[in-house]
Amino acid sequence: MERIYETNSPQETYALGRRLGEDAKPQDFYTLIGDLGVGKTVFTQGIAAGLGIKEPVNSPTFTVVQVYEGGRMPFYHFDVYRIGDIEEMEEIGYEDYFYGDGLSMVEWGNYIKELLPERRRDILIEKDLQKGFDYRRITITEVGI
Ligand code: ADP
Ligand code: MG
């Protein structure tokens, strides 16, 4: 199933993320794809807020995974954009996160397709400049659910 949301401000994108965070259950899994500056971090900050995380959340630029423990359940925030090969994920012990007791979100999950859980939601954020600078289309596709 595929759901499409449209937002016209960072606040709306944040609010959508927050709803997902509020509804999240342990072992929920999201991938997140979208060009630079499209709102992935805004969306992720919403998710973290929905989980009750108070710590500031940013892009995990220098680490593949950033763990936030301060909320209702752990939040495992991955960015695999710069991953060299799948072995790096093995070294990190990704399975402990993916099949653990928290919510995992993997930015650029398409780079590690072979490792993605069969049950997950894929999120794509896109601009459409014809609809304005602040317009975003957010497509959430359920896979195996
Ligand atoms: P990314 O992490 O994808 O590189 P960021 O979340 O860091 O992107 O930045 C998104 C930028 O776009 C922010 O400056 C934000 O204010 C702006 N923006 C404008 N409209 C929206 C919108 N509808 N949703 C999300 N961000 C928006
Ligand atoms: Mg970002």
Side-chain angles (χ1 to χ4, degrees):
M1 197 185 67
E2 186 181 273
R3 279 168 295 162
I4 297 175
Y5 301 87
E6 295 175 299
T7 70
N8 287 287
S9 69
Q11 290 80 9
E12 281 180 56
T13 298
Y14 182 93
L16 179 62
R18 194 174 53 207
R19 286 212 300 278
L20 292 193
E22 285 166 353
D23 292 345
K25 297 182 298 299
Q27 262 184 44
D28 276 357
F29 191 98
Y30 287 96
T31 65
L32 180 59
I33 294 174
D35 293 338
L36 188 70
V38 83
K40 297 184 298 299
T41 296
V42 169
F43 186 81
T44 304
Q45 288 168 340
I47 289 188
L51 289 169
I53 292 161
K54 303 277 192 290
E55 258 180 277
V57 171
N58 290 300
S59 306
T61 314
F62 301 108
T63 50
V64 174
V65 61
Q66 188 81 50
V67 179
Y68 300 93
E69 299 271 13
R72 187 161 64 75
M73 69 178 86
F75 180 36
Y76 306 125
H77 182 200
F78 288 76
D79 185 343
V80 298
Y81 192 79
R82 283 169 207 81
I83 205 119
D85 56 68
I86 296 300
E87 256 176 53
E88 270 184 66
M89 291 297 286
E90 309 273 5
E91 281 161 23
I92 291 163
Y94 73 94
E95 285 173 303
D96 293 343
Y97 301 108
F98 287 12
Y99 303 102
D101 52 3
L103 169 68
S104 294
M105 205 191 62
V106 182
E107 294 194 32
W108 299 106
N110 53 315
Y111 285 92
I112 56 156
K113 265 206 175 79
E114 49 271 75
L115 303 185
L116 296 177
E118 283 175 19
R119 294 166 58 88
R120 61 173 194 271
R121 295 185 180 89
D122 292 333
I123 304 177
L124 174 68
I125 310 182
E126 298 167 292
K127 293 187 186 182
D128 182 345
L129 289 178
Q130 292 189 327
K131 299 193 177 181
F133 276 124
D134 292 345
Y135 173 88
R136 303 291 190 268
R137 183 170 47 248
I138 301 171
T139 306
I140 304 182
T141 306
E142 293 189 339
V143 179
I145 294 175

